[in-house]
Amino acid sequence: MKLYSILLGALFCGALAHGQETPPVSKKNDTLKVNTLKVPELSAEVQYVLDTIIDGKTYFRKSLKSDKLWEPSEVLLDDKIASDYDKKWMEELYSNSLFDTIYRDVTNLKYEVVDYPELSTDTLKARLERLNARTPFNVEYNPGLESVIKSFLKRRHQSLERLMGLSHFYFPMFERELDNYNIPLEMKYLAIVESALKPRAKSRVGATGLWQFMYATGKQYGLEVSSYVDERSDPIKATESAAKYLARLYEIFEDWDLALAAYNSGPGNVNKAIRRSGGSKNYWNIRPNLPRETAGYVPAFLATMYIFEYADEHGFIKHKPQFNYIETDTVRIKQTITLGQVSEYTGVTIETLQFLNPSYKLDVIPFIKDKNYTLRLPREDVGTFVNNEKEIYGFVQKELDSREKPLPQLVNADTKTRYKVRSGDYLGKIARKFGVRVSQIKKWNGLRSNNLKVGQRLTIYARNPSSVTTSQKSAVNSTSKTYKVKSGDSLWSIAQKYSGVSVQNIKDWNDISGSNLKPGMTLKVSKG
């Protein structure tokens, strides 16, 4: 009996210590269903876990066997020793000179609005002269550059503030790769001009990623593009390729302004502009002979550099980013897994996973022999994933085996289903029911969060129409009353024909969003 009491006490304290959550429990009249047990009802031969506490009373439930699908709300525990090592490594990273300046800037931000006076030409000239002295780019004053800078300050203040916050995540990885190839670190501002720091940005001509590589150029510099993966959107791999490309262009032109112009329009167009300018090699002199887009490219880059370097003087608020780059880490994938599954089993939001893993076009990380595809996670979740990856891959495989077509397929309108959220439902549970991903359900229904309300209706395109439950199929059955629409009918006039039926009832029962009816339509006019 003493051992029995110790067991219960350990279960109770352990659950509280780890903040364990359970899947939503169906309720009726505010009482729990019989799948939970009070203390006197427990058996010493069975293992239990804490289920919930209601009105001061503790309820337990039987521990799930390993052959059952793991519920995503179960808490995964990290290995304590490895977790301690992670903490020590983070301390080492933060003291490392490579990240010292960046970390200090991020952690000491004041986030205060600073008034700044109107930018005079003399002040701008003085600042550009100081900027020119510390960068290999030709940052010389001219009226055209002044116009671009003042235009950005006046019209792009809010968007530039958001980019300054986002830059704290991307710039450390940019600077590391640029430094490896002896590229001026100020080249990091090029990614802002190219893509506004959007890894999946795609131009009208097909240039893709932070550094806007065309397909052929990306392939030339080692970036893989396949049905599942586009490494042009991988921040690190694309930055390394951009650094190689820029280094090669500088070897040709021996001038960073011309290398920038060639990066945008190609070396051929720069060479033609040099010829048409009588052999001049100064960017501002050949600018009139460059393609129109390239003519504004270098001024935009220099204006962006100026504003970022003098952000404090112009009163920009540097929003704190959700992550710093060094607060994330990667795990090599050992089996095909979707970001939706990672989200479901780790609790990391799908939006965070998409932000950290932008190169996976379909939100699927494939496992292919001789390829090293990785999953990037917030650092505090890496240890948890690694410590539980055998179980995670086991559950993923079980889920994939249960689907007819586990990987994303083209949506077929014939598989459209309207699902009404029930008590105890959550997105992961619904996704498994229909063989789809959480991210897809959110996209189809315009959901910004994972919160659901009982009675909420969701549109779902099930991969296998037979996965629609019997209860849903019974929504239209032989016992339902129907009405055939006649000329002149309206939803209101039809509702008046049936006691207790409203216009909204008819809309809900027939999945109608508007009020237009066509003669000959058959409408369900009872819940059935």
Side-chain angles (χ1 to χ4, degrees):
M1 185 66 186
K2 184 176 181 181
L3 178 61
Y4 170 66
S5 300
I6 293 174
L7 172 63
L8 293 181
L11 287 170
F12 178 77
C13 295
L16 289 182
H18 296 295
Q20 179 161 331
E21 298 177 359
T22 59
V25 179
S26 299
K27 295 184 179 180
K28 187 176 183 181
N29 298 326
D30 295 325
T31 61
L32 292 176
K33 285 188 173 182
V34 294
N35 61 343
T36 59
L37 302 170
K38 298 180 182 178
V39 173
E41 300 171 321
L42 303 181
S43 169
E45 287 77 27
V46 180
Q47 289 187 334
Y48 298 92
V49 294
L50 178 69
D51 188 74
T52 190
I53 299 176
I54 295 182
D55 295 332
K57 296 179 181 179
T58 304
Y59 293 84
F60 293 85
R61 58 182 169 81
K62 292 181 180 180
S63 178
L64 293 178
K65 294 182 179 180
S66 60
D67 59 346
K68 291 186 178 181
L69 277 178
W70 173 35
E71 295 294 347
S73 54
E74 291 185 11
V75 174
L76 299 176
L77 303 180
D78 193 5
D79 181 87
K80 185 179 185 304
I81 296 176
S83 178
D84 290 339
Y85 288 157
D86 271 343
K87 291 178 182 177
K88 292 179 180 179
W89 178 237
M90 284 298 292
E91 293 173 0
E92 177 66 21
L93 283 176
Y94 282 131
S95 64
N96 191 299
S97 60
L98 180 63
F99 296 104
D100 185 51
T101 301
I102 298 166
Y103 177 72
R104 184 174 62 249
D105 288 343
V106 172
T107 55
N108 294 326
L109 297 178
K110 301 302 182 182
Y111 308 110
E112 296 175 351
V113 176
V114 179
D115 292 328
Y116 66 94
E118 182 178 358
L119 180 62
S120 68
T121 299
D122 288 340
T123 299
L124 177 60
K125 286 181 177 179
R127 289 176 181 172
L128 291 177
E129 186 176 348
R130 290 196 295 272
L131 191 57
N132 185 60
R134 60 178 188 254
T135 176
F137 293 95
N138 297 315
V139 190
E140 300 174 357
Y141 172 83
N142 64 70
L145 181 57
E146 180 179 17
S147 175
V148 174
I149 290 173
K150 289 186 175 180
S151 175
F152 281 11
L153 287 171
K154 182 178 181 181
R155 300 171 186 171
R156 298 178 59 184
H157 192 100
Q158 188 175 3
S159 61
L160 284 167
E161 276 188 345
R162 289 198 298 269
L163 287 169
M164 287 174 186
L166 196 55
S167 70
H168 290 299
F169 177 78
Y170 287 112
F171 280 4
M173 67 178 81
F174 291 173
E175 290 176 346
R176 184 186 68 183
E177 299 303 328
L178 294 171
D179 181 63
N180 285 341
Y181 290 90
N182 294 318
I183 308 295
L185 298 187
E186 293 86 358
M187 194 66 79
K188 62 191 177 186
Y189 300 121
L190 179 60
I192 293 176
V193 178
E194 287 282 0
S195 64
L197 296 182
K198 293 180 180 178
R200 291 186 176 180
K202 194 165 187 174
S203 74
R204 56 183 175 79
V205 295
T208 300
L210 290 163
W211 299 94
Q212 290 290 282
F213 274 102
M214 295 295 288
Y215 178 85
T217 310
K219 283 284 191 180
Q220 180 183 350
Y221 283 88
L223 296 176
E224 176 190 349
V225 181
S226 69
S227 296
Y228 284 114
V229 180
D230 190 341
E231 290 183 345
R232 295 176 296 175
S233 293
D234 185 292
I236 295 178
K237 292 180 179 179
T239 302
E240 182 182 8
S241 295
K244 291 178 180 178
Y245 187 25
L246 287 164
R248 182 68 182 128
L249 291 173
Y250 183 74
E251 286 179 9
I252 296 171
F253 293 103
E254 299 181 337
D255 181 278
W256 284 114
D257 291 349
L258 296 184
L260 273 175
Y263 186 92
N264 178 255
S265 64
N269 282 322
V270 173
N271 287 332
K272 283 185 283 187
I274 291 173
R275 290 186 178 97
R276 289 167 179 162
S277 304
S280 176
K281 291 184 61 178
N282 181 286
Y283 168 80
W284 294 99
N285 292 335
I286 72 168
R287 182 170 173 263
N289 295 307
L290 287 169
R292 182 175 179 181
E293 180 181 343
T294 310
Y297 186 75
V298 173
F301 168 81
L302 296 175
T304 301
M305 183 197 303
Y306 165 83
I307 292 172
F308 269 70
E309 295 290 332
Y310 289 98
D312 291 338
E313 286 80 353
H314 287 290
F316 282 92
I317 302 173
K318 300 176 183 177
H319 297 283
K320 190 174 182 179
Q322 182 181 2
F323 297 104
N324 293 318
Y325 172 60
I326 58 173
E327 294 172 344
T328 68
D329 201 354
T330 57
V331 180
R332 182 180 176 184
I333 289 302
K334 299 179 180 178
Q335 178 182 327
T336 296
I337 192 170
T338 70
L339 297 186
Q341 289 167 334
V342 176
S343 175
E344 188 174 343
Y345 297 131
T346 65
V348 181
T349 66
I350 189 69
E351 293 83 4
T352 296
L353 293 171
Q354 289 171 333
F355 172 76
L356 295 177
N357 301 274
S359 62
Y360 300 115
K361 297 161 67 174
L362 301 177
D363 291 349
V364 174
I365 308 178
F367 177 75
I368 301 174
K369 187 178 180 180
D370 299 326
K371 295 287 186 180
N372 293 324
Y373 294 124
T374 60
L375 166 70
R376 184 170 292 277
L377 290 167
R379 186 174 287 275
E380 64 267 22
D381 296 295
V382 170
T384 303
F385 185 95
V386 172
N387 202 49
N388 297 274
E389 64 182 358
K390 182 178 179 181
E391 291 79 5
I392 291 174
Y393 287 129
F395 294 127
V396 168
Q397 187 60 51
K398 193 171 291 186
E399 182 179 337
L400 291 175
D401 291 342
S402 69
R403 301 181 185 180
E404 182 178 353
K405 295 179 181 178
L407 298 180
Q409 304 294 320
L410 293 176
V411 171
N412 185 336
D414 294 337
T415 66
K416 179 179 177 180
T417 300
R418 290 286 286 175
Y419 179 80
K420 187 175 182 179
V421 176
R422 299 174 175 83
S423 177
D425 277 343
Y426 49 92
L427 285 177
K429 180 178 178 181
I430 298 171
R432 285 199 299 270
K433 182 190 295 285
F434 294 100
V436 298
R437 301 197 309 276
V438 170
S439 58
Q440 290 176 308
I441 296 177
K442 294 177 74 172
K443 181 178 180 180
W444 294 330
N445 294 276
L447 302 178
R448 293 190 175 184
S449 71
N450 293 329
N451 298 329
L452 296 176
K453 295 180 180 178
V454 174
Q456 181 177 353
R457 291 184 180 275
L458 300 175
T459 296
I460 299 174
Y461 295 90
R463 289 200 181 89
N464 184 359
S466 63
S467 65
V468 180
T469 62
T470 303
S471 60
Q472 288 173 288
K473 290 180 177 180
S474 64
V476 179
N477 54 42
S478 57
T479 63
S480 302
K481 293 182 181 179
T482 59
Y483 176 82
K484 195 168 187 177
V485 177
K486 301 178 180 63
S487 179
D489 278 341
S490 66
L491 290 175
W492 183 85
S493 66
I494 296 172
Q496 298 305 302
K497 298 178 185 289
Y498 301 92
S499 176
V501 176
S502 68
V503 170
Q504 190 59 47
N505 288 149
I506 297 176
K507 285 186 174 184
D508 290 342
W509 296 335
N510 295 276
D511 193 19
I512 297 174
S513 58
S515 57
N516 294 329
L517 298 177
K518 294 181 180 180
M521 289 176 63
T522 298
L523 297 177
K524 180 183 171 188
V525 291
S526 69
K527 190 171 184 180

